[in-house]
Amino acid sequence: MPGKSPWKMVAITAVIALLAAGCSGSSSDDTEVLPNSISIGIGEPPSLIPSNAVQVNASQVLASLFYPLVRFDPTNKPYMVAAQSITHDKSNKVWTVRLKPGFTFSNGEPVTADNYIDAWNYGAYGPNGQAASYFYSRIDGFAELQSEDPDGDGPEKAPQPQADKLRGLKKVNNLTFTVTLSEPFAGWMAVMGYDAFYPLPKAAFSSDGVLNKDFGEAPIGNGPFKMKGTWQHDDKIVVEKVADFKGTIPKVNGITWKIYQELGAQYADLIAGNLDIQTTIPIENLASASGDLGDRLGRSDSSSFSFVGFPMYLDKYKNVNVRRAISMAINREEMTDQIFLGSEKPATSFVSPAVEGARSNSCGQWCEYNPTRAKQLYTAANGPRDIKITYNVDGGHKAWIDAMCNQIKASLAINCTGSGLPKLRDVIAKASAGEDIGLIRLGWSMDYPLMENYLGPLYTSDGSSNYYGYKNSTFDSLVRQGSVANNTKQAEQLWNEAENQLVRDMPVLPLRFGQNVFGWSERVTDVTMDLYSKVDIYSVDIAS
Amino acid sequence: MFRYIVRRLLQMVITFFGATFVVYALLFAYVDDPYQVLVGDRPISDIQRATLEARFHLGDGFFTQYWHYLKGLLTGDLGESMTGRPIGDMLAQAWPVTIKLALLSIVIAAVIAVGAGVLSGIRRGGAFDTVTLVLTLVVLALPIVVLAPMAQLVLGIQLGWFPVTSGRDAGLYELLLPALVLGSLVVATELRVTRSSVAENLRADYVRTARAKGLAPKRVIGVHVLRNSMIPVITLIGVDIGVLMSGAIVTEGVFNIPGVGFNLFRAIRSEDGPLVIGFVSVLVIVFLVINLIVDLLYAALDPRIRYE
């Protein structure tokens, strides 16, 4: 070791360090940005394969790359997009999809019925482990594509499923195919508007039923935009307009989906003018957002629904008046204004009113703040003196749970405590085991805009997210009748009747409906968002 | 010297396996249900669970899992993250920007700390000394979770002196603000250590001797005092590189730099065991190598230290 010149060494180290830091010194806002293109902030999507995308960031990007069979108008009625027509037989069981001719994928391949059938078969095949596979579960033959692990977590492997193709999908000709459902369902057309029902080109598959390993890095879609390069993980996804696109043509020439880990950083970029659209203004910035953004701050309904379930399996909550009293003891407005700063709306129904057919105040007096009446009811019903609300601590629910408890305490003069468990899974496990965990905090976002998507999973006896043990056969049969009804009008009527049953039984306490609170830069205009918290990429435009 | 390095390298191998084993064990205890995180609030189907379990060996016992990890590591395969991205690629994408950031902030911090520290050490009790004392106290008192967004708001958005966020291909200018914020984590302690070390050495016998011999004050301080005062500072800087890597978790989030801290934070939040292990393994190696370099630097600074 040369002991003589430590300073030289330090200087050299410093120089090397600075050179290393500066060597790729060119600016990151490089020349790749297309003229008339915009940037929208997202989080890193977990996957860009349509049947594996159950998350809003992925869904948002896919909406630019793919063209769905149907989209939804402002009243959430489905209308034809890539489909020419979608018809069904009398029983709502066999659905015929005709595609519009002339469409191609961005690699030039024509879009045919096979592309849909291949994609859906891939998504539904159990061993592929696709996150959105449950969307195909209504299609005939879905069960044969699944298999169950015979010993749970044990060493035995699950057997190969009986089939690898859905029996319910049949090609009629190049542009027509039929979908047979395992049982009639009037709302099937709306379901097919979801991401899982996009087609995949032949180029996506390396062999029959096997997806190319790198397909998700640069998906080839039938949409108005195509990938420019590949997915730059944690950095950005750039899409550009497809030349001669046959469908609705977006007004911007390209979109850079800028990937952020934190909403705070995204917001900083938005107000500094480095980002054009932020879809979620973080709650800690809401107070200053109207000052920062002025009229460039937008709000619209989203489909999310927050509620608290009553443990119907416990005797102390068996009396419906106890449940009604607790619901009336709560001031929903105060909660949404003070804690959520208006980013959520008070809920007074069991189904989001944004969905077609749903009413905004089905709950009526039972969801109105009325502490005097609540106390009378509660005392008469001899409700428990001590109630608990259980929630998962990783979701940031503590503040409002505590506020809700304080309201209950003040209105009913009983004791109320919030009890946090680490994960939602812990909450669900305890509820499913029938433990006394008190009231249960839960939330829901819809998959397709039908009342059934709230009523079915949340409240039917075998509903996938009915963790609070609500069982009512009248309700179940009304929901079922609605699903198999001949037309949507009749279905909605039956579903509304079902909701009335919920009002009588009050198995949960509706609290809040979500809102999209979004902001945009001076560069863009006509920014709107849908119920799924996605920006409408067709209407957004560059400000003149 | 050569034998010393070899001995240290062998020790590093043992430390590496020890450290990764501990991290693996901790993670095994922590990770509860990573699949559920993947699909959100909806219950995951049996077949999906089975598919993922087979892919990540998560149904197996602890030692089998650790064995799979070691086997992969030795063959250069770090596996896949829970979202299916190869961890090797993720590391290759994340490290460059973090290294740039860490080096830049260490240089900034060291230059400020040594410069100001020497000055205030020489003029102990003077105005400069008092001012730096107050300033370092302020910086020490501000946690990085406050400092980083504040610097971003004031220097980035309001004054517009710096870019608000960086990206993966950030250049020197884009990284300057995050590097300053990150450097402030360590600059205060480095400065205080330099100051007290210089102050102490100024009173040492050899300094008096040097002065008595009639050496120029510049040479006395520049060579005799500084060189001896740097030994504790260099140690500290070495340790600080580790602090910077962990401090990067906050800074990289605030300034949207997709580096190591960014990935590590995400991995922990989403219970992505393979990803945590992948990044921690490399972090352990970085720590070990830096420590070795620091130890070797001692010899350069103090001729009395010899490695045999």
Side-chain angles (χ1 to χ4, degrees), chain B residues 91-110:
Chain B
L91 280 168
Q93 285 172 342
W95 270 98
V97 71
T98 295
I99 291 176
K100 277 199 262 179
L101 183 64
L103 283 179
L104 194 58
S105 54
I106 211 85
V107 168
I108 293 174

Side-chain angles (χ1 to χ4, degrees), chain A residues 42-63 65-66 122 128-132 195 211-219 231 233 237 259, chain B residues 38 55 81-85:
Chain A
I42 54 169
E44 165 90 358
S47 167
L48 283 185
I49 295 163
S51 52
N52 206 14
V54 284
Q55 188 253 9
V56 65
N57 295 316
S59 186
Q60 177 80 81
V61 176
L62 289 175
L65 296 172
F66 287 89
Y122 175 81
N128 290 335
Q130 298 293 292
D195 301 1
L211 207 62
N212 263 335
K213 215 176 167 319
D214 293 332
F215 181 73
E217 299 300 303
W231 177 1
H233 286 281
I237 299 168
I259 300 173
Chain B
L38 281 181
R55 191 156 84 189
S81 80
M82 298 296 298
T83 51
R85 282 167 68 188

Side-chain angles (χ1 to χ4, degrees), chain A residues 1-7 9-10 13-14 16-18 20-30 44 46-47 54 126-134 145-149 152-153 157-158 161 213 217 232-236 258-262 264-269 271-272 274 423-426 428 441 443-445 447 464-465 467, chain B residues 1 30 32-33 36-43 45-54 59 80 83-86 90 93 99-101 103-104 106-107 111 114 152-153 156-157 163-172 174-175 222-223 226-227 230 234 249-250 253-256 258 261-263 265-266 269 271 296-297 299-301 303 306:
Chain A
M1 271 277 156
K4 274 190 178 166
S5 50
W7 294 110
M9 282 184 53
V10 172
T13 327
I16 292 173
L18 287 171
C23 60
S24 60
S26 70
S27 157
S28 67
D29 286 342
D30 33 37
E44 165 90 358
S47 167
V54 284
N128 290 335
Q130 298 293 292
S133 62
Y134 63 93
L145 268 66
Q146 317 300 315
S147 66
E148 228 167 284
D149 202 346
D153 283 349
K157 292 263 182 295
K213 215 176 167 319
E217 299 300 303
Q232 308 283 303
H233 286 281
D234 300 324
D235 194 18
K236 65 188 166 200
K258 269 178 109 170
I259 300 173
Y260 291 85
Q261 165 124 314
E262 287 188 10
Q266 214 183 112
Y267 185 72
D269 257 357
I271 56 177
N274 297 337
K423 297 269 157 70
L424 179 67
R425 184 178 184 239
D426 305 319
I428 292 172
R441 179 222 70 90
W444 182 252
S445 283
D447 293 326
S464 62
S465 299
Y467 303 115
Chain B
M1 184 74 182
Y30 166 70
D32 184 25
D33 192 12
Q36 196 57 56
V37 181
L38 281 181
V39 296
D41 282 2
R42 189 178 300 278
S45 76
D46 282 354
I47 189 150
Q48 263 172 294
R49 188 178 287 274
T51 313
L52 290 166
E53 221 154 58
E80 276 184 356
T83 51
R85 282 167 68 188
M90 294 178 81
Q93 285 172 342
I99 291 176
K100 277 199 262 179
L101 183 64
L103 283 179
L104 194 58
I106 211 85
V107 168
V111 167
V114 172
Q152 184 184 46
L153 180 70
I157 298 173
V164 177
T165 58
S166 325
R168 166 159 302 136
D169 316 309
L172 195 57
E174 274 124 344
L175 286 177
V223 176
L226 266 191
R227 194 149 142 193
M230 278 306 104
I234 293 278
I249 289 185
V250 176
V254 169
F255 294 99
N256 203 42
F262 182 102
N263 273 289
F265 181 55
R266 168 172 57 198
R269 201 161 53 176
E271 293 186 22
L296 292 177
L297 267 182
L301 286 169
R306 284 279 172 265

